[in-house]
Amino acid sequence: MSKLIALIAGDGIGPEVVFQATRLLDWYRNKRGYDLDLWHLDLGADRFLRDGTTYPKEVADRIEHEASAVLLGAIGDPRVPSLDYARDILFGLRFGLDLYANIRPVRALADRLVPLKDRCAKDVNFVVFRENTEGIYVNIGGQFKRGTVDEVAINEDINTRKGVERIIVAAFEYAKASGHNVVHMADKSNAMRHAHELWQRVFAEVATRYPGIAGKHVYVDALCFYLVQDPTPFKVIVTNNLFGDIVTDLGAALQGGLGMAGSANVHASVPGRVAMFEPVHGSAPPLAGKDLANPFAAFLTVGMLLDHLGYKGEEARIETAIGEALEARQCTRDVGGELGTRAAADALLARIAG
Ligand code: NAD
Ligand code: IPM
Ligand code: MN
């Protein structure tokens, strides 16, 4: 049976990189015979500004029950400063589908892109497991006496036993399957005593279920320091929603920029459930419409999507092709080339086809 992939191009550079990603998917359909159906969804700032639609229930239902995967470009447009519509779409997918594991590989694909002194690509190779359905992202809170000198603003940080345990288990399962002997958990338990004491306790407990894999704790501020100083000890990092967001932008810088970072949002414990795939980058409004955006993050994301759907080896194949393209400088300006989005994508597609 064919697999339905919902495409949400979104805003800014989203449509440009998703268009190129679609060409890659089309190549897999037409030349490799992969049984994929593409379903283009008109969602994002333009649609919201046109008719107020954000993330309709009929679309959410069809994605949940009929789609195998969602590929999303980026959401965020300066014409809509509140970004409520963006949260509706993004969190509608992540929370609505209970995609609790945001898996963000941090792998550098060319030595020259690693910004650290005396380090090369092989030194930057780890995966961040970001909790994706809880934390400070749940939108519980409010404002009181807004606009007065007495105003109060609150965002609650939600950490449940179930939520913490399942993302930590996902990280250990990945480490086990990949042959890694260490998982780092990053928190801020020295300051956030209640919530992160839970993380500490659950982490220690889950680690005992995985003999041969060391569970190491690191404060998230120190993690940022170590990642820049020497990223080599890190293989698998598990952390909460907010810290995972921040640490993976730092990770993207180690990879050569946000144009090089892909990600998957999955419900890790139930195979076959619909998952959502998106580059780590945002809509980069200043680059939009100028043929400047790097399409490689979207291509790496397609690789994760294909592997997830059972087309094993495609993530590695796409990574290798991108590594070669970088070597040949067949890439966009942000990664040291001179090509535009389309030409960089053309060259990469030719390389994959060849
Ligand atoms: P951003 O990721 O859009 O841009 C940060 C920097 O990276 C900029 O210098 C940008 O030019 C560069 N960059 C990003 N993607 C690139 C690419 N493919 N090629 C070359 N350079 C690239 O982050 P921002 O500026 O903080 O956010 C812009 C908007 O995107 C905001 O509305 C934000 O909320 C939203 N956003 C959405 C998502 C998402 O939908 N998943 C993710 C992050 C940010
Ligand atoms: C990301 C983004 C989002 C997040 C924003 C747009 C809400 O930064 O996907 O990394 O914080 O998760
Ligand atoms: Mn982010």
Side-chain angles (χ1 to χ4, degrees), residues 75 87 90-91 94 104 130 137 241 245 249 278 280:
I75 311 280
R87 280 185 289 273
L90 212 50
F91 300 158
R94 292 180 187 170
R104 296 187 158 186
R130 167 191 181 189
Y137 278 70
N241 208 337
D245 178 46
D249 263 35
E278 55 182 332
V280 173

Side-chain angles (χ1 to χ4, degrees), residues 240-282:
N240 69 27
N241 208 337
L242 180 64
F243 297 168
D245 178 46
I246 297 166
V247 163
T248 53
D249 263 35
L250 192 159
L254 302 181
Q255 290 169 274
L258 278 155
M260 295 301 305
S263 91
N265 302 264
V266 305
H267 184 96
S269 33
V270 182
R273 226 168 115 145
V274 59
M276 195 264 278
F277 299 81
E278 55 182 332
V280 173
H281 65 69

